[in-house]
Amino acid sequence: MSFTIAAANKHTVTNRTATRAAYYARVSSERQTDEATIESQVAALRERIMTDGLAFEDTAAFVDDGVTGTTLMRPGLEQLRDAAYMGDIQKLYVHSPDRLARKYAYQVLVVDELRHCGVEIVFLNRAIGTSPEEDLFLQMQGMFAEFERAKILERSRRGKRYAAQRGLVNVLSGSPYGYRYIAKRDGNPASYELVSEQEAVVRQIFEWVGRDRLSINEVCRQLKQQGIPSPSGKNSWNRSSVWNLLRNTTYCGRAVFGKTRTSTKDSSVSGTQQDALPRGIVL
């Protein structure tokens, strides 16, 4: 009996000494800003793992394709963190720190968490160590990545604002009910195309409210009785869907870009002054 136990313990120790390698790759949704695709990242990571002579299994590949690095809520990253917590990996290969996260604070959080789980991290574009100089360089890379993303967002905002001032509809988030969005192609600008079935529904809703003076609740009941699906495809309409449709200025031939924005509340500005602020650009 004692011999069997000793053999089992020896086998367990042998498995633990084998380094279990994994890699993480990510490409954001803004593909035009990424020089490398997921495939090129994966190829470089696999080549480095083979060069280091480590064993690798397909289950140790964690990938987020088309996911922004400004959030930690990413399927591939969450699976990686779970695997690290369970002790399934000992060495992680990543192309660069900004693939883990675009925000420096998130980089520090993920790196510290993985190190706490006993995971050694290898960045292909630089060596990582424990000296203060190397930690400082990692911090600088994180801050530069965050600064780079801020510049990209600012350029995108300016470009969309300029396109809106020229009357281009491709800056809008989507087409309203009753229209179909036609993407830009062959040098022709993006446009809206009427959907005849939905157009009749829109006209009917405006007639019910403007001419027949029906309430929004009654409009919802009429639409359900006629079996007309909602914009989301449901069998019944809700009040907010009808109300938003009635308020949409697109049906008056006036689409607006930038109606909402994020800002901090200024107690020194009165409500009247805040209401006077520009709300958007009319296309």
Side-chain angles (χ1 to χ4, degrees):
M1 179 67 67
S2 60
F3 175 79
T4 304
I5 295 176
N9 290 340
K10 183 179 180 180
H11 178 69
T12 302
V13 172
T14 302
N15 285 341
R16 288 182 178 177
T17 56
T19 302
R20 295 181 292 273
Y23 68 75
Y24 177 78
R26 180 186 66 81
V27 169
S28 68
S29 55
E30 296 130 351
R31 288 181 175 269
Q32 68 274 14
T33 66
D34 293 278
E35 297 179 356
T37 63
I38 280 290
E39 289 76 15
S40 62
Q41 285 187 45
V42 169
L45 292 167
R46 284 179 174 270
E47 182 181 358
R48 176 61 184 274
I49 293 174
M50 292 178 61
T51 302
D52 291 348
L54 299 179
F56 176 79
E57 298 179 359
D58 291 337
T59 55
F62 305 95
V63 177
D64 282 315
D65 191 1
V67 184
T68 178
T70 59
T71 176
L72 295 180
M73 300 299 293
R74 288 173 260 154
L77 182 61
E78 290 186 340
Q79 294 173 10
L80 167 64
R81 296 168 71 182
D82 291 341
Y85 178 78
M86 297 298 294
D88 295 337
I89 58 177
Q90 294 175 315
K91 199 166 187 177
L92 176 67
Y93 290 80
V94 188
H95 186 269
S96 58
D98 63 347
R99 297 302 89 192
L100 284 177
R102 279 287 188 180
K103 292 186 177 181
Y104 167 67
Y106 289 166
Q107 286 185 18
V108 174
L109 187 149
V110 174
V111 170
D112 286 348
E113 177 182 317
L114 294 175
R115 283 177 169 176
H116 182 73
C117 295
V119 178
E120 179 186 354
I121 305 174
V122 177
F123 293 120
L124 266 59
N125 67 334
R126 63 175 296 273
I128 185 171
T130 57
S131 68
E133 292 80 6
E134 291 173 337
D135 288 339
L136 176 62
F137 187 70
L138 179 62
Q139 295 172 11
M140 291 175 61
Q141 277 195 318
M143 288 184 288
F144 278 124
E146 192 168 349
F147 174 67
E148 179 186 4
R149 174 166 176 82
K151 288 197 302 181
I152 293 172
L153 291 176
E154 174 60 19
R155 290 169 183 166
S156 175
R157 185 194 66 81
R158 290 202 312 266
K160 288 183 177 180
R161 185 175 180 86
Y162 176 71
Q165 290 173 340
R166 295 169 56 197
L168 302 179
V169 300
N170 60 310
V171 298
L172 301 176
S173 57
S175 58
Y177 182 78
Y179 291 91
R180 182 185 296 110
Y181 179 77
I182 306 299
K184 178 176 61 175
R185 62 174 179 266
D186 299 332
N188 298 320
S191 61
Y192 286 156
E193 181 181 78
L194 283 173
V195 180
S196 57
E197 298 83 1
Q198 296 179 357
E199 177 192 4
V201 176
V202 173
R203 290 181 182 275
Q204 183 64 76
I205 292 175
F206 274 93
E207 289 178 0
W208 278 336
V209 175
R211 184 189 63 191
D212 303 335
R213 300 300 180 183
L214 297 185
S215 66
I216 293 181
N217 286 333
E218 182 60 29
V219 170
C220 293
R221 283 192 290 268
Q222 292 287 341
L223 292 170
K224 184 176 182 180
Q225 288 178 2
Q226 296 186 18
I228 300 174
S230 69
S232 60
K234 297 181 180 179
N235 295 328
S236 60
W237 290 60
N238 55 46
R239 287 176 50 87
S240 61
S241 298
V242 177
W243 180 239
N244 291 334
L245 187 148
L246 293 170
R247 295 179 59 193
N248 195 332
T249 58
T250 305
Y251 301 115
C252 302
R254 186 182 61 182
V256 181
F257 169 77
K259 290 186 293 185
T260 60
R261 59 183 177 178
T262 303
S263 61
T264 57
K265 184 177 180 181
D266 189 355
S267 57
S268 63
V269 179
S270 64
T272 304
Q273 290 175 318
Q274 289 179 346
D275 292 339
L277 294 174
R279 295 295 182 184
I281 300 173
V282 179
L283 277 67

